[in-house]
Structure formats: C-alpha cells, structure tokens
Amino acid sequence: MAIRYELIKECKQTGARLGRLHTPHGIIETPIFMPVGTQATVKAMTPEELKDMQAQIILSNTYHLYLRPGHELVKEAGGLHKFMNWDRPILTDSGGFQVFSLGDLRKITEEGVEFQSHIDGSKHFLSPEKVMEIENALGADIIMAFDECAPYPADKAYVKNSLERTTRWAVRCKEAHKNTENQALFGIVQGGMYQDLREQSARELVALDFPGYSIGGLSVGEPKELMYEVLDYTTPLLPKDKPRYLMGVGSPDALIEGAIRGVDMFDCVLPTRIARNGTAMTSIGKVVIKNAKYTRDFTPLDPNCDCYCCKNYTRAYLRHLYKADEILSSRLMSTHNLHFLINLMKQVREAIMNDRLLDFRNEFFANYYGETQL
C-alpha cells in the first residue's frame, strides 16, 4: 500500500485520535488541516512559505488541473510535485464536487458526467476511469474516487440513488487505479443527512477495503449541528486502522468538533478566501481589517500569534494595504490565516496527547467566540 496509518493515542475525554500517516513523500501528523492549492498553488503563497508555517500536506483539484493546464502536461513535467515544486505529500480530490456544483451545465448518467467548462464553455466527459487516468497522471500521494455529491437539502430517494451510484463508481475507480504502490485511493462515504443511508454507504465502501475513507456531502449548506450529528454516527463506522478525511471543512469550530468525533484530515479554501476579502481568524475572534476602527491600530493582527505577518506588521498597515487593493494584503492575511489553522491543529494534537481536548475546546471557544461549550 502507498500509505499506512499509525494510531498513536486516543483522547480519554473524547476518543479523538492522534496518529501518523506514512506517505511516499513524508509522514503527516494527524489530526491535520490541509491548505488547498486548487490550481497547483495555494493562492498567494510560495511552497517555501508553506513549509515555514509547517504545512505538512496540500490539496489540489483534479477538475481544475484537467481543464488547465491539462493532466498530460503535468505528467510531462514530471508530475504535480515537480511541476509545483512541492516535495511533501499532496492529495487530489476527484473533481466530483466541482462538476456537480455546475448545476445546469452538467448531465449525470451511469457512465459518468457530461459538463461544460466554466472557462470557455467547451464540453467534457468525466467517468470514473477518466478521473483515475487524470489523478494517476497528476501523481498525488492520496487520490479520491469519483463520487456524486448530493445537494442539501435532498429527498431520501435521490440521496439513496446517488450513494449507490457512488459505490458503483468506487468499484470502477478501484479497478481502473493502477499505481497502487505510490498512490492511495480513498473511497468517499455519502448518504446525505440520513443515518441509514450513511450506514449503507460506509458498509459498502468498507467492504471494498480502501486504504482510507473520506466523508463527503457535508459542509454543503446544512447547519453545523446537523453536520456534527452526522459525524457522530458516521465516523465510528470507518476502520480504526485507516485515515478518515472530512472534505471541505475548515472553520476553527468545525476542525475541533471534527477531531473530537474521530476525524484525522480536513481541507478548505476558507482561510485564503476570507483573507482576500480582508478577514482574519485570530485567537480572540475574527478581525475584519477593512473596518475603520483599525485605521490607527498599530498593534499586531493577533497579539498571540508568531507568524510572519503578526511579527512584522500592524492592523493599520494591513487595513491600508487592503483599502489600496495591494497584492501584499492578500499575501499577509493568507499567511496569517493558514498559520492560524495549522497551529490550531498542532494545539489539538497536543490536547489529545494530554487527554484534555474538551478543556481545550472550551478555552478556545471562550476566547474566539466569547462563549463556552458545555
């Protein structure tokens, strides 16, 4: 197998897992947040800057790289690692979420999905076999099976048909995936917000014996309380000796709550997206830097942060950059937000090691949200 999950410890307070994920490009300490580099770049960041903030693994997007520059070109360049100058682990999603988000621009059949490019309107077709061809060419350490991500809300009959197609596509992906020694293929558990359907999906995928499992179809518009409820009954269905990946989740509260429920891996575009819009996550809550109250605020963005941005620049300067539409605004704010979430997961791992993750959650929420979770 391309990867191996090593369970080190379970938190006595919560059952949260501390682990190590061994991959062809290095060992990942889990639970982990993975910065998203959609188009073979984490927006505004260089690989060296990501390493400085101790990013262990990044995610890239199959759909986007297939459309531009094309998986054949990336393969010709020596694979995604060499193409983007990143020598640590990479995960690629299947492109399923992006394709299904196209709405009227796509048509789903049993064979696959026909869709129009969001770039130029050209028509394309993705099947499980085609997705495996693309992901094999990209060469990431961890790759995702092609799945159908049901929207929220969706009626039960639709979700049932969707998850059963996802299982059939997972079988086809496994049969088409050739590079099993260097790339680990994860199955994706679907089933919407229905417990019996989540159980069905997990049972069918676990029987296929993937090296890891993703939980898909969450963070798609449902209330967070409902997402946590689904995680409560879904995560225990997955093998303890394999990694568990909650797709598309990156807010501080969801990272902590997900870890409490036994999730090992998370990803989201949130930290860089809100950074470009002038919002920072700090140890004392969100800071919207464009607000006028920061005009003469010559303190760091986060007084408790040791990232490059907070060690060198003030809120007043960051507000000036944002108001002047300077590129450095996005770079500095992204640097901070990514460092913040990576460091948050480091604190989560320390709390698991010390059997105090619930205590850590309460302390963090009290500072970040001004409230305590009971």
Side-chain angles (χ1 to χ4, degrees):
M1 279 190 177
I3 66 165
R4 176 174 62 87
Y5 177 74
E6 176 188 0
L7 178 60
I8 297 172
K9 178 182 173 61
E10 291 181 295
C11 176
K12 291 177 182 176
Q13 277 190 335
T14 63
R17 293 144 53 93
L18 187 69
R20 291 192 189 99
L21 184 57
H22 299 257
T23 81
H25 284 87
I27 297 172
I28 302 162
E29 305 287 341
T30 63
I32 186 68
F33 174 77
M34 302 180 286
V36 176
T38 301
Q39 304 193 77
T41 173
V42 177
K43 287 193 184 338
M45 296 287 99
T46 67
E48 292 75 20
E49 289 166 334
L50 292 168
K51 288 180 181 180
D52 285 346
M53 64 180 72
Q54 299 181 355
Q56 301 183 59
I57 175 175
I58 60 175
L59 180 146
S60 283
N61 183 265
T62 295
Y63 165 84
H64 287 281
L65 294 176
Y66 160 69
L67 290 177
R68 183 176 56 194
H71 58 292
E72 297 97 341
L73 187 146
V74 174
K75 184 177 182 180
E76 186 182 336
L80 196 52
H81 288 90
K82 191 170 182 182
F83 187 55
M84 66 183 296
N85 190 34
W86 177 259
D87 59 5
R88 294 183 181 182
I90 298 176
L91 182 151
T92 48
D93 60 13
S94 69
F97 179 78
Q98 284 72 28
V99 168
F100 295 110
S101 298
L102 292 172
D104 294 339
L105 297 177
R106 52 97 170 125
K107 179 183 178 183
I108 307 170
T109 65
E110 183 62 26
E111 185 56 30
V113 184
E114 183 182 88
F115 65 96
Q116 284 182 263
S117 165
H118 72 283
I119 299 170
D120 59 10
S122 58
K123 285 193 175 182
H124 300 266
F125 186 81
L126 287 181
S127 65
E129 293 77 14
K130 183 65 176 180
V131 168
M132 289 299 96
E133 174 195 324
I134 298 167
E135 292 199 86
N136 288 164
L138 295 175
D141 302 78
I142 300 171
I143 65 177
M144 297 297 119
F146 195 43
D147 65 320
E148 180 178 349
C149 183
Y152 174 83
D155 67 70
K156 193 170 185 179
Y158 179 96
V159 176
K160 182 175 174 62
N161 287 333
S162 174
L163 87 84
E164 290 175 348
R165 179 180 286 125
T166 289
T167 301
R168 293 191 295 272
W169 284 0
V171 172
R172 289 167 58 187
C173 283
K174 194 168 184 186
E175 291 172 350
H177 175 45
K178 304 303 181 187
N179 191 10
T180 55
E181 290 186 7
N182 298 304
Q183 292 183 294
L185 174 65
F186 281 26
I188 303 178
V189 177
Q190 293 288 354
M193 311 299 152
Y194 303 98
Q195 183 169 354
D196 57 336
L197 297 187
R198 286 282 174 179
E199 291 171 352
Q200 177 187 340
S201 180
R203 183 174 62 251
E204 293 171 353
L205 291 173
V206 169
L208 293 172
D209 193 27
F210 287 97
Y213 293 90
S214 302
I215 302 170
L218 293 178
S219 193
V220 290
E222 79 282 3
K224 282 185 176 174
E225 294 74 17
L226 183 54
M227 177 175 74
Y228 301 150
E229 180 184 326
V230 173
L231 285 177
D232 280 333
Y233 57 69
T234 301
T235 311
L237 303 171
L238 303 177
K240 289 186 69 172
D241 62 344
K242 294 181 179 179
R244 306 159 176 174
Y245 164 31
L246 177 57
M247 307 179 78
V249 169
S251 62
D253 54 339
L255 293 177
I256 296 171
E257 296 288 357
I260 285 172
R261 289 160 174 81
V263 174
D264 306 303
M265 305 165 68
F266 305 84
D267 83 283
C268 195
V269 298
L270 179 74
T272 50
R273 177 174 289 170
I274 66 172
R276 295 192 301 277
N277 293 322
T279 298
M281 296 176 276
T282 80
S283 59
I284 51 176
K286 285 186 181 179
V287 171
V288 181
I289 206 67
K290 58 190 171 186
N291 289 350
K293 65 181 179 179
Y294 300 118
T295 303
R296 288 179 171 81
D297 187 337
F298 303 115
T299 64
L301 188 57
D302 184 343
N304 301 311
C305 181
D306 64 353
C307 79
Y308 172 79
C309 174
C310 291
K311 285 193 297 185
N312 292 284
Y313 302 101
T314 66
R315 294 176 176 183
Y317 181 64
L318 292 168
R319 181 177 188 273
H320 157 68
L321 292 177
Y322 182 84
K323 297 294 285 185
D325 199 25
E326 285 289 342
I327 294 171
L328 188 57
S329 169
S330 294
R331 282 182 43 72
L332 292 176
M333 296 285 282
S334 294
T335 295
H336 168 77
N337 280 350
L338 289 169
H339 179 279
F340 180 81
L341 291 186
I342 289 168
N343 190 59
L344 173 64
M345 298 313 290
K346 181 180 179 182
Q347 293 174 292
V348 166
R349 293 194 297 271
E350 290 171 353
I352 295 172
M353 178 60 78
N354 295 317
D355 295 311
R356 60 178 310 275
L357 187 54
L358 285 183
D359 297 332
F360 172 77
R361 178 188 68 175
N362 291 342
E363 292 162 8
F364 179 86
F365 281 19
N367 291 322
Y368 194 85
Y369 299 105
E371 62 187 50
T372 301
Q373 291 291 106
L374 300 177

